[in-house]
Amino acid sequence: MIEFQNVTKRYPGGYDALSNVSLHLAEGEMAFLTGHSGAGKSTLLKIISLIEKPTRGIAQLDKINLKTISRHRVPYLRRKIGIIFQEHHLLFDRTVFDNVAMPLIIQGYRHQEIAKRTRAALDKVGLLNKEKSMPVTLSGGEQQRVGIARAVVHKPMLLLADEPTGNLDPVLSREIMQIFLDFNQVGVSVLVASHDLILIDELQKPVLTLNQGKMIHNDLNRDQYDQEVGGFRSPQVNEFSTGNW
Amino acid sequence: MRTSNRRRGRPATSNKLVAYLLHHIQSLVFSLGKIYHSPITTIMTVAVIGITLSLPGGFYLFLKNINAMSGDIRSTTQITLYLDIKLSEQKARALERAISKTGNVVSTEFISRQASLQAFRETSGFGRSIDTLSSNPLPHTIIVEPVSSADTFAVKNLLNALQAMPEVKIAKLDTEWLERLYTILEIAKRSVVIVTILFSIAVLLVIGNTIRLDIQNRRQEIIVTKLIGATNAFIRRPFLYGGIWYGLLGGLMSWLIVEIGYLAIAGPLNRLNLLYQADLMLITFTFQDFIILVSSSTLLGLTGSWIAVARHLNQIEPT
Ligand SMILES: Nc1ncnc2c1ncn2[C@@H]1O[C@H](COP(=O)(O)OP(=O)(O)OP(=O)(O)O)[C@@H](O)[C@H]1O
Ligand SMILES: [Mg+2]
């Protein structure tokens, strides 16, 4: 699904936000991305979601080179991803339902199909009763869940989340992570950037750690990793479901 | 790759076309709804466009009226013959009868020296002083009206023939002022073209600016829709429809303004008709004029928004 080979991202200022980062997230796999503030987590997610282009190295999403992809194909590749932002990016001039339905409208789904899928996504995050509400009337956690519903409504192959639990209390954070686990259960690849080391530890999923733009820990490439540095963690058993949902 | 079954809900091609058309209609209605929800901005923009376009529109109509009037005048071109002052009235009347039988002449009118003097006395305001003249200084005159279908060349020939007559002192064709009028009309026509071009550019700028502000106000929405996979065409559409609405409404408004302006002119014009016993008909926009005005205004709206969208939409990218 995601393939990085020695990817370096240098921002115009000359600072290397990522240097020689390699990773491979297989289809249906789930992993956490951690690291100190400024380590390059968001930058990595931005490269995958085609917001930034890698300076050097090869970055691929679903076998498509993210550096050389032509402009007009960008929207179509983005439709394969569901992105969840820390600042949820909801539109406040329309209802929860209309927010969640946006990806389907953009992709030209039929009316009935839109209604059906939007309600299913809202149901999934437990907000079916709020479909007619305006986003401002919702709590922070609810808004975050609306963002998640919008990210999954079109059934993307890959879910990217940048600190989805940033401002939430531990109970709510756990609930949100559980939603991601559920999606992963039905075969969606998931990559979550998070600071919440305690929660990550509980969830027993592969972890990638960045430090000043360098990958210092990578559970996903264990073989290669063991040779280089030595084990950090007990090996993860990858038995991810690839069923439908 | 996990494919077909997960993606089965995807619209089929025919459905896609329907959905595409549907989105066009949705954008059209949505942009109209937006106009409805921000009436002040819309009314101001539409008013500016309407007023701006009413100028070339009104100017054009004015010219059209002048043109129609001058057409009437051209068909009544006439030749005035001032006869030798020593010619007796009998001989002069005989000459008139002879001329009236010539080809290319529709009618003739004889005005005797006495009648001319009388008319002059009444209209010139020199009444008393004319009475002090010892003799009548005016000759007999004959007014000749050539057939209206006669071309300029035939009229000129007729004029020359009449001038050659020994009894005729001066033969005068009243076209000089007409030619002058045509020159003025030509200048006016070009002015209309220039005014139209300038004001069209003004409308382009107004619409472009309105759409630009609209794009800036909806920056966040544009970024979000780009991030969830909207194509540029999709994002562009509601703005283009917005421009179309502004143009269309502005065009209608300018039409309304010009029509109202002409109603205001109709009063004095009727009085003019009474005074001169003329029958000047005021020409307003034909249906064709109306269609041209509104459709070109709509086109201006589309072009203006297109320029704004092309310039500003690509600059908004998620970061
Ligand atoms: N557009 C940019 N231009 C220049 N430098 C940037 C830009 N975006 C990020 N950086 C720099 O790149 C580095 C990595 O930033 P990034 O946002 O990826 O960190 P992060 O791991 O997401 O941090 P945080 O946990 O605080 O969100 C930072 O030092 C940041 O200052
Ligand atoms: Mg970040």
Side-chain angles (χ1 to χ4, degrees):
Chain A
M1 176 64 32
I2 303 172
E3 178 83 56
F4 273 43
Q5 286 171 25
N6 299 317
V7 170
T8 295
K9 173 65 192 178
R10 176 167 294 179
Y11 280 114
Y15 180 77
D16 283 351
L18 292 177
S19 49
N20 282 317
V21 169
S22 299
L23 74 99
H24 175 82
L25 185 80
E27 211 172 305
E29 221 168 356
M30 176 166 179
F32 286 105
L33 183 62
T34 63
H36 62 90
S37 179
K41 303 182 294 294
S42 297
T43 303
L44 196 147
L45 294 185
K46 281 176 184 172
I47 288 175
I48 300 168
S49 47
L50 292 133
I51 298 170
E52 295 286 355
K53 292 216 161 176
T55 315
R56 276 199 308 276
I58 298 169
Q60 285 185 330
L61 171 63
D62 201 18
K63 309 238 168 23
I64 293 162
N65 190 321
L66 298 176
K67 192 174 180 180
T68 54
I69 185 173
S70 75
R71 246 177 104 84
H72 77 273
R73 283 185 62 195
V74 167
Y76 301 99
L77 191 55
R78 277 188 183 144
R79 292 176 189 183
K80 296 184 177 179
I81 322 171
I83 311 171
I84 295 142
F85 314 89
Q86 184 171 356
E87 343 72 61
H88 47 69
H89 278 310
L90 297 182
L91 298 177
F92 288 96
D93 62 345
R94 57 197 77 189
T95 61
V96 165
F97 182 95
D98 289 344
N99 266 285
V100 174
M102 277 173 64
L104 302 177
I105 293 171
I106 283 168
Q107 293 183 40
Y109 280 83
R110 268 172 298 124
H111 206 69
Q112 303 91 311
E113 192 71 21
I114 290 175
K116 207 179 89 192
R117 285 176 179 238
T118 304
R119 298 226 165 81
L122 281 171
D123 193 27
K124 186 90 193 134
V125 299
L127 286 175
L128 197 50
N129 57 333
K130 298 276 189 185
E131 63 169 288
K132 292 197 178 67
S133 308
M134 297 306 270
V136 264
T137 66
L138 303 182
S139 72
E142 285 170 333
Q143 291 183 2
Q144 193 60 270
R145 269 142 68 197
V146 175
I148 294 172
R150 187 184 61 193
V152 300
V153 71
H154 58 296
K155 301 191 177 176
M157 318 171 138
L158 170 66
L159 214 51
L160 297 177
D162 195 355
E163 317 218 7
T165 61
N167 298 324
L168 305 179
D169 65 55
V171 178
L172 217 51
S173 301
R174 200 156 284 130
E175 274 180 30
I176 297 233
M177 288 300 188
Q178 189 55 50
I179 295 174
F180 292 140
L181 290 174
D182 291 347
F183 279 112
N184 180 241
Q185 274 295 309
V186 295
V188 182
S189 314
V190 182
L191 183 59
V192 181
S194 176
H195 276 130
D196 197 343
L197 294 172
I198 302 165
L199 190 55
I200 290 171
D201 212 44
E202 266 177 41
L203 296 173
Q204 297 284 305
K205 290 285 181 189
V207 175
L208 308 165
T209 308
L210 286 169
N211 188 312
Q212 301 204 341
K214 293 191 179 67
M215 189 76 85
I216 56 160
H217 177 98
N218 187 340
D219 285 336
L220 290 171
N221 300 16
R222 281 224 67 86
D223 310 341
Q224 181 192 345
Y225 204 79
D226 284 339
Q227 285 165 12
E228 282 172 16
V229 186
F232 272 75
R233 249 184 166 212
S234 58
Q236 293 274 331
V237 188
N238 287 349
E239 43 187 29
F240 300 108
S241 158
T242 46
N244 297 313
W245 59 279
Chain B
M1 183 161 309
R2 197 174 46 244
T3 46
S4 53
N5 48 352
R6 279 196 73 242
R7 309 237 137 217
R8 83 197 132 192
R10 267 248 155 124
T13 321
S14 66
N15 283 336
K16 264 209 159 135
L17 183 69
V18 172
Y20 176 78
L21 292 175
L22 211 67
H23 179 250
H24 267 277
I25 295 167
Q26 276 168 353
S27 318
L28 193 76
V29 175
F30 176 72
S31 55
L32 188 66
K34 213 163 48 60
I35 278 173
Y36 178 79
H37 287 299
S38 54
I40 304 288
T41 325
T42 308
I43 287 172
M44 296 232 293
T45 307
V46 168
V48 170
I49 298 165
I51 292 167
T52 309
L53 285 182
S54 70
L55 234 107
F59 205 174
Y60 162 80
L61 258 198
F62 178 71
L63 257 193
K64 214 173 152 178
N65 276 288
I66 300 281
N67 234 345
M69 284 179 205
S70 67
D72 283 351
I73 292 163
R74 195 219 298 264
S75 68
T76 58
T77 302
Q78 53 188 33
I79 300 169
T80 310
L81 304 178
Y82 299 97
L83 304 182
D84 192 329
I85 197 144
K86 280 170 254 157
L87 205 66
S88 72
E89 182 163 344
Q90 236 180 348
K91 280 186 181 160
R93 282 188 184 278
L95 183 66
E96 185 219 344
R97 275 193 296 279
I99 290 171
S100 70
K101 288 183 187 102
T102 343
N104 272 348
V105 172
V106 173
S107 64
T108 55
E109 188 190 346
F110 180 79
I111 302 167
S112 70
R113 304 177 57 188
Q114 290 78 13
S116 295
L117 189 67
Q118 188 63 34
F120 188 66
R121 201 200 310 272
E122 278 163 15
T123 59
S124 68
F126 290 117
R128 286 285 152 78
S129 42
I130 284 168
D131 288 340
T132 62
L133 293 171
S134 56
S135 66
N136 183 354
L138 301 174
H140 296 299
T141 32
I142 299 172
I143 293 168
V144 178
E145 194 192 323
V147 288
S148 55
S149 63
D151 54 76
T152 330
F153 187 69
V155 173
K156 276 259 151 67
N157 273 344
L158 179 65
L159 180 72
N160 289 339
L162 294 171
Q163 179 72 78
M165 290 178 166
E167 300 93 333
V168 176
K169 200 92 195 176
I170 305 166
K172 198 166 177 301
L173 179 64
D174 295 337
T175 55
E176 248 172 52
W177 72 274
L178 208 65
E179 270 159 25
R180 229 171 276 156
L181 178 68
Y182 281 132
T183 318
I184 292 170
L185 274 182
E186 193 52 42
I187 293 169
K189 268 180 206 160
R190 292 196 184 182
S191 314
V192 170
V193 173
I194 293 168
V195 166
T196 307
I197 290 172
L198 286 178
F199 281 61
S200 298
I201 292 171
V203 168
L204 273 185
L205 293 177
V206 167
I207 291 177
N209 199 43
T210 309
I211 299 293
R212 182 181 64 85
L213 290 176
D214 200 17
I215 289 173
Q216 273 168 12
N217 287 336
R218 291 167 64 194
R219 198 189 157 78
Q220 185 64 16
E221 183 185 340
I222 292 168
I223 287 176
V224 171
T225 43
K226 277 195 178 178
L227 274 178
I228 58 180
T231 57
N232 278 340
F234 181 94
I235 297 169
R236 211 182 284 138
R237 225 166 280 148
F239 294 107
L240 296 183
Y241 278 122
I244 287 177
W245 282 117
Y246 285 134
L248 179 71
L249 295 176
L252 287 174
M253 176 136 180
S254 73
W255 171 76
L256 209 66
I257 291 172
V258 175
E259 290 287 318
I260 290 170
Y262 266 62
L263 278 184
I265 291 174
L269 190 92
N270 278 338
R271 237 171 301 142
L272 197 73
N273 275 342
L274 277 181
L275 279 174
Y276 286 87
Q277 296 175 352
D279 195 18
L280 296 177
M281 271 287 290
L282 206 60
I283 304 167
T284 59
F285 286 126
T286 60
F287 183 65
Q288 199 186 344
D289 291 333
F290 171 77
I291 293 295
I292 290 174
L293 176 68
V294 173
S295 56
S296 45
S297 167
T298 308
L299 197 70
L300 281 178
L302 178 62
T303 316
S305 57
W306 191 277
I307 292 169
V309 163
R311 286 201 47 189
H312 301 286
L313 217 51
N314 285 344
Q315 287 170 10
I316 300 178
E317 283 290 343
T319 50

